[in-house]
Amino acid sequence: LSQAEDGIRDAGVRQGFRLGSDRFCRDVATRLLHGGRISLTVGAVAIVISLIIGVIVGLLAGFYGGVLDNVLMRFAEVVSAFPFMPLAITLSSLMPVGTPQNTRLLMIMVILGVISWPGVARLVRGQILAEREKDFVLAARALGLKERTVIIKHILPSVFNLIIVNMTLGYASSLLTEAGLSYLGFGVRPPSPSWGNMLNGVVNSIVIERYWWQWLLPAGSVLIAALSVNLIGDALRDAMDPRSTRN
């Protein structure tokens, strides 16, 4: 790094950037806020797509069983075999240079959501297999209610707690995946900020040693966000578990 660049960074800190500036004299605090909005949005949309697909497949497989169950579960295993990172990197590399940022983000959210639904489907299917044999479901079917009504109004609410807990835990995983993809340069690309691409300075030993705020702050943001969501998921799981012991 040249002395001119050192002076720019030092001047950026002195001019009121409380969390420091990057090598282009941009406020790190502002970029953390905008980058967090992008990273959190990508993770949220991806987990919603995953939940929608996984819940529908799990409900159909668990309720009807038989051939449909076997076909859907084998298809879920095929989807699980696709690795997200290599697939996203390949598609990102094939995109034209001038591809809009929104298109790139949409690709990441869709691919992450479409590939990560098999785990949700298996959880929902296992719960449905237990719920469909209970008395209230058998009574609803004996009364002649339509199967769609039985699934939506009687079975789905019984697995809603499981869906909420899985959503929080899966959200943290999606957040970390997006950060890793952006760090590798195949996700959100500069000048648009994200917590992942703000970590690019880690590859420079001088930045690591002398300008720690440029990589420690975004890394800490990712860590705190993922840890917070995981803790919330664990707390929800304990609170919603009917078999948990309460003092």
Side-chain angles (χ1 to χ4, degrees), residues 39-45 47 166-176 225 229:
S39 297
L40 295 175
T41 300
V42 170
V45 174
I47 197 63
N166 184 267
M167 179 180 66
T168 57
L169 298 178
Y171 179 71
S173 177
S174 298
L175 177 63
L176 292 174
V229 174

Side-chain angles (χ1 to χ4, degrees), residues 31-186:
R31 290 178 61 79
L32 281 175
L33 293 176
H34 288 279
R37 181 182 62 183
I38 294 177
S39 297
L40 295 175
T41 300
V42 170
V45 174
I47 197 63
V48 168
I49 295 174
S50 173
L51 283 177
I52 292 175
I53 300 175
V55 169
I56 293 176
V57 173
L59 284 173
L60 295 177
F63 185 80
Y64 292 103
V67 177
L68 180 62
D69 182 20
N70 289 329
V71 171
L72 291 177
M73 289 299 100
R74 299 298 80 75
F75 179 70
E77 292 174 359
V78 172
V79 174
S80 300
F82 286 96
F84 170 74
M85 280 292 187
L87 181 60
I89 290 174
T90 302
L91 293 178
S92 179
S93 300
L94 294 176
M95 285 187 173
V97 178
T99 302
Q101 190 71 266
N102 292 335
T103 303
R104 191 177 300 275
L105 289 176
L106 181 62
M107 180 203 70
I108 296 173
M109 291 185 291
V110 171
I111 295 177
L112 185 56
V114 168
I115 289 182
S116 60
W117 64 264
V120 181
R122 293 192 187 97
L123 287 175
V124 174
R125 171 185 173 271
Q127 190 70 18
I128 295 300
L129 290 175
E131 295 291 332
R132 71 176 185 178
E133 303 299 333
K134 292 185 177 180
D135 293 339
F136 71 94
V137 176
L138 297 176
R141 301 180 71 173
L143 291 174
L145 296 179
K146 295 181 179 180
E147 292 181 342
R148 182 177 61 183
T149 303
V150 175
I151 294 174
I152 297 177
K153 292 187 177 181
H154 297 278
I155 296 182
L156 182 59
S158 63
V159 299
F160 188 72
N161 294 343
L162 177 67
I163 295 173
I164 294 297
V165 173
N166 184 267
M167 179 180 66
T168 57
L169 298 178
Y171 179 71
S173 177
S174 298
L175 177 63
L176 292 174
T177 302
E178 186 279 329
L181 197 63
S182 296
Y183 169 73
L184 295 174
F186 297 98

